Amino acid sequence: MHRYRFILYRPIQLLPVLIGISIIIFVLVRSIPGDPVRALLGARGTPESILRIRAQFGLDEPLWTQYFYFIENLFKGEMGRSILYKIDVLELIGTRIEPTLVLVGGSVLLALLIAVPLAAIAAKYRGRPVDHIIRLMSTAGLGFPAFWLAIMLILLFSIQLDLFPVAGYGKTFGEKLHHMILPWLTVALALSAVLTRNLRASILAELHSDQATAARARGLPESVVFWRHVMPNSLVPTVNLLAINIGWLISGTVVIESVFAIPGMGQLLIRGIFTRDYMVVQGVAMTFACATVFVNFMADVLTVTIDPRVKL
Amino acid sequence: MNISRSVNARFGWRLKFNSGVVPLIIGISILGGWLLVAIFAPLLAPYDPIFQDAAVRLKPPSMAHPFGTDNFGRDVLSRVIWGARIDLQIATFGVVFAFVIGTTVGSIAGYYGGWVDMVLMRLIDVVLAFPFLVLMLTIIVILGPGLGSFYVAMALVGWVSYARLIRAQFLVLKNSDFAIAAVSLGYSHKRVMFRHLLPNAILGSIVFSMSDAVLVLLNGAAISYLGLGVQPPTAEWGTMIAEGQGFITIGWWITTFPGLAIVLLAMGFSMLADGLGEILGVRQ
């Protein structure tokens, strides 16, 4: 259990990071030119009504007071009210978080389903044509703009073959599944390119490790050596790569959400930025940051679980 | 026996050498090709990239317009050719500022260590955990849409990777004999850092900058796709894809060709990075 002790003190180390992020988000959002109240009231705004609404949202207080309100509310689990939607930001995020979670989770799963077999084949037939083809595909895959890939998939599967809907999310489970297949495929294709390259390299290194040789010497069949000994160790760097890229992945899904018109957090963020809906932008950005930090923490836990030698 | 062994040894050496040389040559050819296209765009492009000809709206690829025309009757091939200028510029400037800032910060953190290193590393943690798109979108909205804002955003986010790479190298190198020798000769910190240590530490960053260029290029195109980067009617690949998306059912060529151009340029950078990394023995 000793090696799991970091679970207790890591959150304390992460606190300054989250505070730093909250300050940057607060300053950035307040630097966006334009007045949210004017944007909300438009031509209807009289000087009195503008003042009243500014006071209602606490916008007439000094900046640092606003920041402390923001932090205080965060600890109480409140993120303020959306100026545009007129409901609690937390509630708003609650209605939008599902599509984003489904998109990110499904894509990661699908990417692993693509990358693990491909990397295994490429490593097994190293230097043969199939290895070269897989490597070439993953190099090309790195350079595919996700939004363009999405449009090409829509063109092929939705417009030409009429298999999947062009955009949207749907209401029932079946509808959602049907709507999400193309977005999953888009993100997974881009992500699996990165994962395949990385996993292939670590499998190759692990195939010649002492522990693999020892397993072979004990007379274990090569397939057992590969799946029980080589693969788990090779997955450690890949899990960490996934965790490091989670921020990038979340950013990528924002663009994909806008191509497929999926009503998720990304759409909320973009709309929030354009309407100067401070509380919403803050809330979404903090949620993204916490998710990134949390995923990296979980990756550490997973690393320690897979590889008992690792000390954190 | 002897001869065959020496041939084998030679062949083996060749194979190892080749495994980096092939991607390197392909990468340089692709990048060189795009560079020539960008430089000679006025000579190569058959039409003016922003000239609108209502008579040839939404025409599929033909002899007169090999990549077809868009909804304004503009020649897609000419726009792809002129777009090379903008997209090469995006990949270059998006990387250069991050490279310079990151290298400087990483050198200072790695060389001095102590509290300087600790503060800079915490800052790096914050930037790494920061939702990258939030930073980019807000900076672009604050400074106004356009490539200048995009470069600022990329520099503010991208320096982190370079700083980490250089710092890790410096931590090892600063205890090597030649560094200690330089210090004991009484050279200034600046001279030891930038004349002795940096040249030995920078190879990995140069290789990384090539694969970073791919990410920057894709980000630049994505930002333009969201309408926050290059503004119409300027020909840029991401903007072209966004403009063509609405006509996808009646004109697939408007979005397909600029996308292929991005893929090809990105492959050039990736291959160059792979080849360089292999030849120089830099693991990524």
Side-chain angles (χ1 to χ4, degrees), chain B residues 14-41:
Chain B
R14 267 236 167 110
L15 261 187
K16 195 169 171 227
F17 192 60
N18 268 343
S19 66
V21 166
V22 172
L24 184 74
I25 290 173
I26 298 175
I28 290 179
S29 313
I30 294 175
L31 289 184
W34 276 122
L35 201 62
L36 289 178
V37 167
I39 294 170
F40 296 110

PDB file of all heavy atoms in Angstrom, chain B residues 14-41:
ATOM      1  N   ARG B  14      23.940   0.153 -43.999  1.00  0.00           N
ATOM      2  CA  ARG B  14      23.130   0.865 -44.976  1.00  0.00           C
ATOM      3  C   ARG B  14      21.663   0.880 -44.579  1.00  0.00           C
ATOM      4  O   ARG B  14      21.012   1.902 -44.640  1.00  0.00           O
ATOM      5  CB  ARG B  14      23.244   0.145 -46.325  1.00  0.00           C
ATOM      6  CG  ARG B  14      24.315   0.698 -47.198  1.00  0.00           C
ATOM      7  CD  ARG B  14      23.666   1.101 -48.500  1.00  0.00           C
ATOM      8  NE  ARG B  14      24.568   1.909 -49.271  1.00  0.00           N
ATOM      9  CZ  ARG B  14      25.141   1.465 -50.389  1.00  0.00           C
ATOM     10  NH1 ARG B  14      24.892   0.247 -50.822  1.00  0.00           N
ATOM     11  NH2 ARG B  14      25.948   2.264 -51.053  1.00  0.00           N
ATOM     12  N   LEU B  15      21.165  -0.309 -44.167  1.00  0.00           N
ATOM     13  CA  LEU B  15      19.753  -0.420 -43.814  1.00  0.00           C
ATOM     14  C   LEU B  15      19.417   0.539 -42.681  1.00  0.00           C
ATOM     15  O   LEU B  15      18.438   1.260 -42.721  1.00  0.00           O
ATOM     16  CB  LEU B  15      19.445  -1.843 -43.364  1.00  0.00           C
ATOM     17  CG  LEU B  15      18.825  -2.742 -44.425  1.00  0.00           C
ATOM     18  CD1 LEU B  15      18.432  -4.055 -43.794  1.00  0.00           C
ATOM     19  CD2 LEU B  15      17.613  -2.068 -45.057  1.00  0.00           C
ATOM     20  N   LYS B  16      20.286   0.565 -41.680  1.00  0.00           N
ATOM     21  CA  LYS B  16      20.054   1.406 -40.530  1.00  0.00           C
ATOM     22  C   LYS B  16      20.055   2.880 -40.956  1.00  0.00           C
ATOM     23  O   LYS B  16      19.207   3.670 -40.566  1.00  0.00           O
ATOM     24  CB  LYS B  16      21.145   1.163 -39.497  1.00  0.00           C
ATOM     25  CG  LYS B  16      20.774   1.720 -38.150  1.00  0.00           C
ATOM     26  CD  LYS B  16      21.701   1.272 -37.070  1.00  0.00           C
ATOM     27  CE  LYS B  16      21.397   2.043 -35.804  1.00  0.00           C
ATOM     28  NZ  LYS B  16      22.590   2.548 -35.195  1.00  0.00           N
ATOM     29  N   PHE B  17      20.996   3.194 -41.808  1.00  0.00           N
ATOM     30  CA  PHE B  17      21.137   4.545 -42.319  1.00  0.00           C
ATOM     31  C   PHE B  17      19.882   4.920 -43.122  1.00  0.00           C
ATOM     32  O   PHE B  17      19.316   5.974 -42.957  1.00  0.00           O
ATOM     33  CB  PHE B  17      22.381   4.591 -43.201  1.00  0.00           C
ATOM     34  CG  PHE B  17      22.808   5.971 -43.551  1.00  0.00           C
ATOM     35  CD1 PHE B  17      23.137   6.860 -42.555  1.00  0.00           C
ATOM     36  CD2 PHE B  17      22.875   6.391 -44.860  1.00  0.00           C
ATOM     37  CE1 PHE B  17      23.525   8.141 -42.857  1.00  0.00           C
ATOM     38  CE2 PHE B  17      23.261   7.665 -45.181  1.00  0.00           C
ATOM     39  CZ  PHE B  17      23.590   8.542 -44.181  1.00  0.00           C
ATOM     40  N   ASN B  18      19.437   3.948 -43.949  1.00  0.00           N
ATOM     41  CA  ASN B  18      18.296   4.192 -44.819  1.00  0.00           C
ATOM     42  C   ASN B  18      17.001   4.427 -44.066  1.00  0.00           C
ATOM     43  O   ASN B  18      16.154   5.171 -44.515  1.00  0.00           O
ATOM     44  CB  ASN B  18      18.085   2.990 -45.738  1.00  0.00           C
ATOM     45  CG  ASN B  18      18.843   3.175 -47.043  1.00  0.00           C
ATOM     46  OD1 ASN B  18      19.235   4.289 -47.351  1.00  0.00           O
ATOM     47  ND2 ASN B  18      19.044   2.107 -47.756  1.00  0.00           N
ATOM     48  N   SER B  19      16.858   3.756 -42.908  1.00  0.00           N
ATOM     49  CA  SER B  19      15.583   3.855 -42.218  1.00  0.00           C
ATOM     50  C   SER B  19      15.269   5.304 -41.844  1.00  0.00           C
ATOM     51  O   SER B  19      14.118   5.658 -41.667  1.00  0.00           O
ATOM     52  CB  SER B  19      15.581   2.973 -40.973  1.00  0.00           C
ATOM     53  OG  SER B  19      16.506   3.482 -40.045  1.00  0.00           O
ATOM     54  N   GLY B  20      16.301   6.155 -41.713  1.00  0.00           N
ATOM     55  CA  GLY B  20      16.018   7.561 -41.471  1.00  0.00           C
ATOM     56  C   GLY B  20      16.087   8.400 -42.729  1.00  0.00           C
ATOM     57  O   GLY B  20      15.442   9.429 -42.840  1.00  0.00           O
ATOM     58  N   VAL B  21      16.890   7.920 -43.689  1.00  0.00           N
ATOM     59  CA  VAL B  21      17.133   8.752 -44.867  1.00  0.00           C
ATOM     60  C   VAL B  21      15.899   8.847 -45.754  1.00  0.00           C
ATOM     61  O   VAL B  21      15.578   9.923 -46.268  1.00  0.00           O
ATOM     62  CB  VAL B  21      18.350   8.210 -45.662  1.00  0.00           C
ATOM     63  CG1 VAL B  21      18.409   8.836 -47.020  1.00  0.00           C
ATOM     64  CG2 VAL B  21      19.620   8.498 -44.893  1.00  0.00           C
ATOM     65  N   VAL B  22      15.177   7.720 -45.892  1.00  0.00           N
ATOM     66  CA  VAL B  22      14.014   7.738 -46.786  1.00  0.00           C
ATOM     67  C   VAL B  22      12.963   8.758 -46.339  1.00  0.00           C
ATOM     68  O   VAL B  22      12.591   9.639 -47.115  1.00  0.00           O
ATOM     69  CB  VAL B  22      13.424   6.314 -46.942  1.00  0.00           C
ATOM     70  CG1 VAL B  22      12.109   6.356 -47.694  1.00  0.00           C
ATOM     71  CG2 VAL B  22      14.422   5.415 -47.641  1.00  0.00           C
ATOM     72  N   PRO B  23      12.502   8.669 -45.069  1.00  0.00           N
ATOM     73  CA  PRO B  23      11.537   9.695 -44.658  1.00  0.00           C
ATOM     74  C   PRO B  23      12.098  11.108 -44.740  1.00  0.00           C
ATOM     75  O   PRO B  23      11.374  12.045 -45.098  1.00  0.00           O
ATOM     76  CB  PRO B  23      11.211   9.346 -43.204  1.00  0.00           C
ATOM     77  CG  PRO B  23      11.963   8.148 -42.852  1.00  0.00           C
ATOM     78  CD  PRO B  23      12.699   7.646 -44.039  1.00  0.00           C
ATOM     79  N   LEU B  24      13.391  11.250 -44.444  1.00  0.00           N
ATOM     80  CA  LEU B  24      13.995  12.586 -44.500  1.00  0.00           C
ATOM     81  C   LEU B  24      13.887  13.164 -45.913  1.00  0.00           C
ATOM     82  O   LEU B  24      13.485  14.316 -46.100  1.00  0.00           O
ATOM     83  CB  LEU B  24      15.467  12.500 -44.071  1.00  0.00           C
ATOM     84  CG  LEU B  24      16.179  13.850 -43.996  1.00  0.00           C
ATOM     85  CD1 LEU B  24      15.717  14.614 -42.776  1.00  0.00           C
ATOM     86  CD2 LEU B  24      17.680  13.674 -43.958  1.00  0.00           C
ATOM     87  N   ILE B  25      14.242  12.339 -46.908  1.00  0.00           N
ATOM     88  CA  ILE B  25      14.216  12.818 -48.290  1.00  0.00           C
ATOM     89  C   ILE B  25      12.788  13.128 -48.723  1.00  0.00           C
ATOM     90  O   ILE B  25      12.517  14.174 -49.323  1.00  0.00           O
ATOM     91  CB  ILE B  25      14.868  11.777 -49.234  1.00  0.00           C
ATOM     92  CG1 ILE B  25      16.376  11.744 -48.970  1.00  0.00           C
ATOM     93  CG2 ILE B  25      14.595  12.127 -50.695  1.00  0.00           C
ATOM     94  CD1 ILE B  25      17.095  10.648 -49.708  1.00  0.00           C
ATOM     95  N   ILE B  26      11.848  12.228 -48.355  1.00  0.00           N
ATOM     96  CA  ILE B  26      10.448  12.483 -48.722  1.00  0.00           C
ATOM     97  C   ILE B  26       9.962  13.775 -48.056  1.00  0.00           C
ATOM     98  O   ILE B  26       9.354  14.638 -48.692  1.00  0.00           O
ATOM     99  CB  ILE B  26       9.547  11.300 -48.310  1.00  0.00           C
ATOM    100  CG1 ILE B  26       9.976  10.024 -49.043  1.00  0.00           C
ATOM    101  CG2 ILE B  26       8.079  11.606 -48.620  1.00  0.00           C
ATOM    102  CD1 ILE B  26       9.221   8.775 -48.607  1.00  0.00           C
ATOM    103  N   GLY B  27      10.286  13.909 -46.753  1.00  0.00           N
ATOM    104  CA  GLY B  27       9.859  15.099 -46.021  1.00  0.00           C
ATOM    105  C   GLY B  27      10.404  16.380 -46.632  1.00  0.00           C
ATOM    106  O   GLY B  27       9.666  17.337 -46.859  1.00  0.00           O
ATOM    107  N   ILE B  28      11.719  16.378 -46.935  1.00  0.00           N
ATOM    108  CA  ILE B  28      12.326  17.577 -47.514  1.00  0.00           C
ATOM    109  C   ILE B  28      11.710  17.871 -48.881  1.00  0.00           C
ATOM    110  O   ILE B  28      11.449  19.028 -49.215  1.00  0.00           O
ATOM    111  CB  ILE B  28      13.858  17.415 -47.612  1.00  0.00           C
ATOM    112  CG1 ILE B  28      14.461  17.436 -46.202  1.00  0.00           C
ATOM    113  CG2 ILE B  28      14.470  18.518 -48.463  1.00  0.00           C
ATOM    114  CD1 ILE B  28      15.964  17.269 -46.177  1.00  0.00           C
ATOM    115  N   SER B  29      11.437  16.801 -49.657  1.00  0.00           N
ATOM    116  CA  SER B  29      10.858  17.028 -50.985  1.00  0.00           C
ATOM    117  C   SER B  29       9.478  17.671 -50.872  1.00  0.00           C
ATOM    118  O   SER B  29       9.169  18.633 -51.599  1.00  0.00           O
ATOM    119  CB  SER B  29      10.715  15.712 -51.755  1.00  0.00           C
ATOM    120  OG  SER B  29      11.891  14.969 -51.663  1.00  0.00           O
ATOM    121  N   ILE B  30       8.658  17.144 -49.950  1.00  0.00           N
ATOM    122  CA  ILE B  30       7.301  17.695 -49.811  1.00  0.00           C
ATOM    123  C   ILE B  30       7.359  19.161 -49.365  1.00  0.00           C
ATOM    124  O   ILE B  30       6.734  20.038 -49.968  1.00  0.00           O
ATOM    125  CB  ILE B  30       6.472  16.879 -48.788  1.00  0.00           C
ATOM    126  CG1 ILE B  30       6.223  15.463 -49.326  1.00  0.00           C
ATOM    127  CG2 ILE B  30       5.147  17.563 -48.494  1.00  0.00           C
ATOM    128  CD1 ILE B  30       5.522  14.540 -48.336  1.00  0.00           C
ATOM    129  N   LEU B  31       8.195  19.426 -48.325  1.00  0.00           N
ATOM    130  CA  LEU B  31       8.283  20.802 -47.823  1.00  0.00           C
ATOM    131  C   LEU B  31       8.865  21.728 -48.885  1.00  0.00           C
ATOM    132  O   LEU B  31       8.375  22.839 -49.094  1.00  0.00           O
ATOM    133  CB  LEU B  31       9.137  20.856 -46.554  1.00  0.00           C
ATOM    134  CG  LEU B  31       8.511  20.240 -45.315  1.00  0.00           C
ATOM    135  CD1 LEU B  31       9.409  20.441 -44.116  1.00  0.00           C
ATOM    136  CD2 LEU B  31       7.147  20.863 -45.063  1.00  0.00           C
ATOM    137  N   GLY B  32       9.936  21.246 -49.567  1.00  0.00           N
ATOM    138  CA  GLY B  32      10.551  22.049 -50.621  1.00  0.00           C
ATOM    139  C   GLY B  32       9.541  22.341 -51.718  1.00  0.00           C
ATOM    140  O   GLY B  32       9.459  23.463 -52.227  1.00  0.00           O
ATOM    141  N   GLY B  33       8.753  21.314 -52.059  1.00  0.00           N
ATOM    142  CA  GLY B  33       7.727  21.488 -53.084  1.00  0.00           C
ATOM    143  C   GLY B  33       6.743  22.581 -52.710  1.00  0.00           C
ATOM    144  O   GLY B  33       6.482  23.507 -53.490  1.00  0.00           O
ATOM    145  N   TRP B  34       6.233  22.513 -51.469  1.00  0.00           N
ATOM    146  CA  TRP B  34       5.270  23.528 -51.025  1.00  0.00           C
ATOM    147  C   TRP B  34       5.902  24.909 -50.973  1.00  0.00           C
ATOM    148  O   TRP B  34       5.262  25.922 -51.275  1.00  0.00           O
ATOM    149  CB  TRP B  34       4.689  23.171 -49.661  1.00  0.00           C
ATOM    150  CG  TRP B  34       3.539  22.222 -49.725  1.00  0.00           C
ATOM    151  CD1 TRP B  34       3.452  21.007 -49.130  1.00  0.00           C
ATOM    152  CD2 TRP B  34       2.299  22.417 -50.418  1.00  0.00           C
ATOM    153  NE1 TRP B  34       2.234  20.432 -49.422  1.00  0.00           N
ATOM    154  CE2 TRP B  34       1.513  21.270 -50.203  1.00  0.00           C
ATOM    155  CE3 TRP B  34       1.784  23.440 -51.224  1.00  0.00           C
ATOM    156  CZ2 TRP B  34       0.231  21.127 -50.751  1.00  0.00           C
ATOM    157  CZ3 TRP B  34       0.521  23.287 -51.759  1.00  0.00           C
ATOM    158  CH2 TRP B  34      -0.242  22.147 -51.530  1.00  0.00           C
ATOM    159  N   LEU B  35       7.193  24.951 -50.568  1.00  0.00           N
ATOM    160  CA  LEU B  35       7.892  26.244 -50.505  1.00  0.00           C
ATOM    161  C   LEU B  35       7.959  26.873 -51.893  1.00  0.00           C
ATOM    162  O   LEU B  35       7.678  28.068 -52.073  1.00  0.00           O
ATOM    163  CB  LEU B  35       9.291  26.020 -49.937  1.00  0.00           C
ATOM    164  CG  LEU B  35       9.971  27.252 -49.338  1.00  0.00           C
ATOM    165  CD1 LEU B  35       9.155  27.773 -48.170  1.00  0.00           C
ATOM    166  CD2 LEU B  35      11.379  26.915 -48.886  1.00  0.00           C
ATOM    167  N   LEU B  36       8.300  26.047 -52.901  1.00  0.00           N
ATOM    168  CA  LEU B  36       8.361  26.547 -54.274  1.00  0.00           C
ATOM    169  C   LEU B  36       6.978  27.008 -54.729  1.00  0.00           C
ATOM    170  O   LEU B  36       6.845  28.064 -55.358  1.00  0.00           O
ATOM    171  CB  LEU B  36       8.884  25.446 -55.211  1.00  0.00           C
ATOM    172  CG  LEU B  36      10.365  25.101 -55.047  1.00  0.00           C
ATOM    173  CD1 LEU B  36      10.768  23.974 -55.992  1.00  0.00           C
ATOM    174  CD2 LEU B  36      11.232  26.333 -55.308  1.00  0.00           C
ATOM    175  N   VAL B  37       5.944  26.202 -54.395  1.00  0.00           N
ATOM    176  CA  VAL B  37       4.578  26.581 -54.768  1.00  0.00           C
ATOM    177  C   VAL B  37       4.234  27.946 -54.162  1.00  0.00           C
ATOM    178  O   VAL B  37       3.686  28.823 -54.821  1.00  0.00           O
ATOM    179  CB  VAL B  37       3.572  25.505 -54.290  1.00  0.00           C
ATOM    180  CG1 VAL B  37       2.134  26.019 -54.382  1.00  0.00           C
ATOM    181  CG2 VAL B  37       3.721  24.236 -55.106  1.00  0.00           C
ATOM    182  N   ALA B  38       4.609  28.125 -52.875  1.00  0.00           N
ATOM    183  CA  ALA B  38       4.298  29.382 -52.193  1.00  0.00           C
ATOM    184  C   ALA B  38       5.035  30.557 -52.831  1.00  0.00           C
ATOM    185  O   ALA B  38       4.467  31.616 -53.088  1.00  0.00           O
ATOM    186  CB  ALA B  38       4.651  29.268 -50.711  1.00  0.00           C
ATOM    187  N   ILE B  39       6.342  30.350 -53.119  1.00  0.00           N
ATOM    188  CA  ILE B  39       7.142  31.441 -53.681  1.00  0.00           C
ATOM    189  C   ILE B  39       6.642  31.821 -55.072  1.00  0.00           C
ATOM    190  O   ILE B  39       6.481  32.999 -55.399  1.00  0.00           O
ATOM    191  CB  ILE B  39       8.633  31.042 -53.742  1.00  0.00           C
ATOM    192  CG1 ILE B  39       9.193  30.881 -52.328  1.00  0.00           C
ATOM    193  CG2 ILE B  39       9.432  32.094 -54.513  1.00  0.00           C
ATOM    194  CD1 ILE B  39      10.578  30.265 -52.281  1.00  0.00           C
ATOM    195  N   PHE B  40       6.379  30.799 -55.900  1.00  0.00           N
ATOM    196  CA  PHE B  40       6.018  31.080 -57.288  1.00  0.00           C
ATOM    197  C   PHE B  40       4.510  31.063 -57.515  1.00  0.00           C
ATOM    198  O   PHE B  40       4.053  30.857 -58.641  1.00  0.00           O
ATOM    199  CB  PHE B  40       6.717  30.085 -58.217  1.00  0.00           C
ATOM    200  CG  PHE B  40       8.211  30.212 -58.185  1.00  0.00           C
ATOM    201  CD1 PHE B  40       9.002  29.227 -57.618  1.00  0.00           C
ATOM    202  CD2 PHE B  40       8.834  31.358 -58.694  1.00  0.00           C
ATOM    203  CE1 PHE B  40      10.380  29.366 -57.564  1.00  0.00           C
ATOM    204  CE2 PHE B  40      10.205  31.496 -58.639  1.00  0.00           C
ATOM    205  CZ  PHE B  40      10.990  30.501 -58.073  1.00  0.00           C
ATOM    206  N   ALA B  41       3.734  31.279 -56.430  1.00  0.00           N
ATOM    207  CA  ALA B  41       2.275  31.263 -56.543  1.00  0.00           C
ATOM    208  C   ALA B  41       1.755  32.144 -57.687  1.00  0.00           C
ATOM    209  O   ALA B  41       0.910  31.712 -58.465  1.00  0.00           O
ATOM    210  CB  ALA B  41       1.632  31.653 -55.218  1.00  0.00           C
TER     211      ALA B  41
END
